[in-house]
Amino acid sequence: MQRSKFFPVLASCLAVFGLLLVSGVGSSAGASSSGGTITWAKPDEAQSLDPHTDFNGNTWKFFFPVYDTLVTTGETLDLQPGIAESWEQTSPTTYVFQLRKNAAFSNGRPVVASDVVGSLERVLDPDTGSWWANALGAVSEIVAEGDHVVRIELEKPHTQLLSALAHVSTAIMPMEEYAAGTFDPTKELMGSGPFMVTEHLQDQSWTYEANPHYWGEGLPVADELKILIVLDEAARIAALRDGRADIGTFVNPDLPALLEGDENITVVTQETASYYNLDVNALSEQSPFTDIRVRQAMNLALDREEISRVALGGMGAVDYPLPRTFPSSKVCVDVPSYSGSREERLESARALMSEAGAEGVEIDLLTTSALPSLIHIAQVIKQQLADIDMNANILQLGYAEWIDAVWVRGEFDLNVTWLSGYGDPAIVLGSWNPEKTGWNAHYLVSDPELNDKIAEAAETPSGDERDALFAEICALIDDGANMVALVNKNSIIAYRNDRVEVNIHPAEGYEDELKYIEEFARIAP
């Protein structure tokens, strides 16, 4: 949980967007009570069970109730204690963490420093294949100093380290059990968080029970958390209305209007550091986007304001590779695909298409039928690309098929998706180095100059020098047009105010929509 310098800018952004933000939202329908079940309807199933290797933001949401991290983030993306109750940076490359002495895994064994050391070493081990290892920087050693102190030594300064440690990809696992072979993180979840998994019915539901050994006094309030996998948004709305679900998460910007007049349901729009973007396949021989001129023409043809207005009903706003949540994003505003009039950009785009001999080119534009906002965005983009004689065929795939086509096989031309923004502006920019991320290596061109500047920004302290690097990075990303930021992606959360008392935090960077789930309570009849 993070309290930081980002708050003034974040607050002003929220006011401009006119979003309904609720922090500490509860219900006055009755007194809250301990025990009972909280039921959450969400639109997608987990794609794996290992938080150290999974790169899918929708999957992380199943991990948050179970796993702790060393630090976490708060209501303004500020750093807050996690399993470490305090920490100190004793030199530019040394961090010392004091662990909670009352933390325990759900099997009752206390969390000790060796669990933290082993978990982070597993993330950093190349054999693990963790995409998040790069975000942690060049770590020279991680040392347990007794049972409740952990020291991390870096080879060189890494400004984003603490923010990287707040991600569930650094989940603290029971490493004694892992070493003994009694815990397999690829097949089960076991952590020191407020809940533990007791049942998983594939594509149907997850059941979590309260962790009796959780370190939070009096928490979790509920005895049980039930997650229902409900792909269809209309079915999720129906589940809220008929009481099968207490909480639902949505991506449809029309939801507030659809639920207008239902006094038992409160809709909250949560600001995030995430944004919708286009993946552009520059490596497949079948893709016309191997020609950088075609990529640049496509990028220039986009009208992000229209995407926000038409596809998202005005709920979003133009966003940049460096998310608008962060003050430094101002350095990205004037790159070519964002500046000048659209007519001027279209003129440049048509010239590039002519030079490349690509007029009338046919492309496939992928999205998934499981997420309506992506479909709406794809439809607007299709119309915009027609203005430069680029003909887009929209393919709506099922969720699992979509993931396989894009991130496993790399068989696509354009793909509408989103990126998480995290808690430090340099972390998401690291996504443009496929040699480090891995998940986009089969469609993203590796640019040595860009990779070097991203690495330099990760080491540079916040300030003018870092912002100057960010400006160069944004210019290179815009020129390459290989992953293209579009508009910001907010989370839409609806809950039954007559059934549950909840605390929805106003800003999130790590896809943890229900960050304070351990505090949620049923309302006594």
Side-chain angles (χ1 to χ4, degrees):
M1 312 176 186
Q2 249 175 294
R3 270 166 233 277
S4 81
K5 57 194 175 205
F6 303 135
F7 181 75
V9 171
L10 182 62
S12 64
C13 287
L14 302 183
V16 169
F17 299 160
L19 302 175
L20 170 62
L21 297 172
V22 183
S23 175
V25 174
S27 170
S28 57
S32 61
S33 61
S34 297
T37 300
I38 302 290
T39 303
W40 171 19
K42 69 184 297 294
D44 29 56
E45 177 62 281
Q47 299 303 305
S48 76
L49 298 180
D50 190 341
H52 288 172
T53 59
D54 193 283
F55 61 83
N56 187 312
N58 285 320
T59 298
W60 304 338
K61 297 169 188 179
F62 295 94
F63 302 150
F64 294 126
V66 173
Y67 288 108
D68 278 320
T69 48
L70 266 178
V71 298
T72 185
T73 55
E75 294 187 351
T76 60
L77 301 184
D78 51 306
L79 289 166
Q80 292 284 301
I83 206 71
E85 59 186 1
S86 64
W87 61 90
E88 182 181 7
Q89 184 177 0
T90 58
S91 81
T93 57
T94 303
Y95 296 77
V96 179
F97 300 86
Q98 305 291 330
L99 306 185
R100 298 181 186 276
K101 293 183 172 61
N102 61 337
F105 295 107
S106 56
N107 64 358
R109 184 177 66 78
V111 177
V112 292
S114 58
D115 293 304
V116 175
V117 172
S119 296
L120 297 181
E121 286 181 340
R122 182 173 185 266
V123 174
L124 292 166
D125 185 347
D127 289 340
T128 302
S130 174
W131 70 288
W132 197 247
N134 181 58
L136 296 176
V139 177
S140 58
E141 64 175 350
I142 309 173
V143 180
E145 298 181 341
D147 281 346
H148 297 101
V149 178
V150 172
R151 175 169 49 85
I152 297 179
E153 295 284 352
L154 303 176
E155 294 178 8
K156 52 188 175 182
H158 194 62
T159 302
Q160 67 190 42
L161 175 67
L162 291 174
S163 292
L165 289 170
H167 194 295
V168 76
S169 292
T170 64
I172 307 306
M173 296 179 175
M175 297 308 290
E176 180 181 315
E177 289 79 355
Y178 175 76
T182 58
F183 165 67
D184 183 348
T186 68
K187 297 179 179 179
E188 61 185 316
L189 309 184
M190 185 193 295
S192 56
F195 290 96
M196 54 185 181
V197 176
T198 56
E199 183 182 55
H200 174 210
L201 303 177
Q202 182 68 30
D203 297 321
Q204 297 181 49
S205 66
W206 289 64
T207 302
Y208 300 71
E209 290 184 3
N211 174 6
H213 308 289
Y214 183 54
W215 52 264
E217 186 176 354
L219 300 173
V221 176
D223 293 328
E224 184 179 74
L225 167 65
K226 192 93 167 182
I227 298 180
L228 305 178
I229 311 301
V230 185
L231 299 182
D232 183 70
E233 293 233 330
R236 259 175 283 138
I237 292 174
L240 272 177
R241 283 178 165 154
D242 66 24
R244 284 175 293 135
D246 303 308
I247 305 163
T249 46
F250 301 85
V251 293
N252 189 347
D254 297 328
L255 186 71
L258 293 174
L259 292 175
E260 187 176 9
D262 195 328
E263 61 184 25
N264 292 326
I265 297 178
T266 298
V267 181
V268 180
T269 301
Q270 182 184 70
E271 170 73 355
T272 78
S274 303
Y275 53 77
Y276 294 105
N277 73 286
L278 272 176
D279 292 330
V280 185
N281 197 334
L283 297 182
S284 171
E285 293 180 359
Q286 285 72 47
S287 172
F289 295 111
T290 54
D291 189 324
I292 191 172
R293 295 168 297 184
V294 180
R295 299 201 303 273
Q296 290 171 337
M298 176 276 303
N299 196 21
L300 288 166
L302 296 175
D303 184 341
R304 293 168 174 85
E305 292 182 353
E306 183 180 49
I307 292 171
S308 172
R309 184 177 65 256
V310 176
L312 302 181
M315 285 185 60
V318 173
D319 217 336
Y320 312 93
L322 199 165
R324 64 179 299 123
T325 301
F326 301 108
S328 296
S329 65
K330 64 182 183 294
V331 303
C332 300
V333 170
D334 293 325
V335 295
S337 73
Y338 290 83
S339 56
S341 70
R342 182 159 189 260
E343 284 306 316
E344 291 172 330
R345 297 200 305 272
L346 286 176
E347 183 178 350
S348 298
R350 290 171 183 138
L352 286 166
M353 291 289 284
S354 177
E355 183 182 329
E359 298 100 325
V361 66
E362 301 278 340
I363 63 164
D364 286 338
L365 175 56
L366 264 61
T367 182
T368 173
S369 54
L371 299 172
S373 60
L374 300 186
I375 297 169
H376 298 330
I377 291 170
Q379 291 168 339
V380 176
I381 289 174
K382 173 184 172 71
Q383 295 171 355
Q384 293 176 353
L385 296 185
D387 290 338
I388 59 169
D389 203 15
M390 185 179 288
N391 303 310
N393 175 36
I394 297 176
L395 301 180
Q396 299 180 29
L397 307 181
Y399 191 68
E401 184 185 5
W402 176 60
I403 289 174
D404 180 65
V406 177
W407 292 284
V408 178
R409 293 183 286 112
E411 296 180 1
F412 70 98
D413 297 325
L414 287 182
N415 173 55
V416 186
T417 183
W418 74 93
L419 279 174
S420 298
Y422 313 115
D424 182 274
I427 297 180
V428 67
L429 294 180
S431 299
W432 272 264
N433 183 348
E435 296 180 16
K436 299 292 186 180
T437 60
W439 53 265
N440 52 13
H442 47 255
Y443 61 85
L444 185 68
V445 173
S446 183
D447 180 342
E449 181 183 6
L450 177 58
N451 295 345
D452 288 346
K453 290 187 182 300
I454 290 171
E456 187 178 354
E459 300 173 18
T460 305
S462 298
D464 291 344
E465 182 181 353
R466 200 182 202 210
D467 283 353
L469 280 168
F470 286 152
E472 295 179 51
I473 290 168
C474 279
L476 288 169
I477 287 173
D478 197 64
D479 184 65
N482 207 164
M483 288 201 306
V484 177
L486 298 171
V487 294
N488 66 322
K489 175 183 179 292
N490 297 311
S491 295
I492 303 172
I493 303 162
Y495 67 92
R496 286 289 298 263
N497 55 47
D498 60 334
R499 296 169 61 93
V500 289
E501 186 176 80
V502 305
N503 177 9
I504 307 297
H505 63 121
E508 173 56 26
Y510 296 84
E511 304 286 342
D512 191 1
E513 296 163 325
L514 306 184
K515 185 180 291 290
Y516 306 128
I517 187 70
E518 68 273 16
E519 300 175 7
F520 291 13
R522 298 213 62 79
I523 293 173

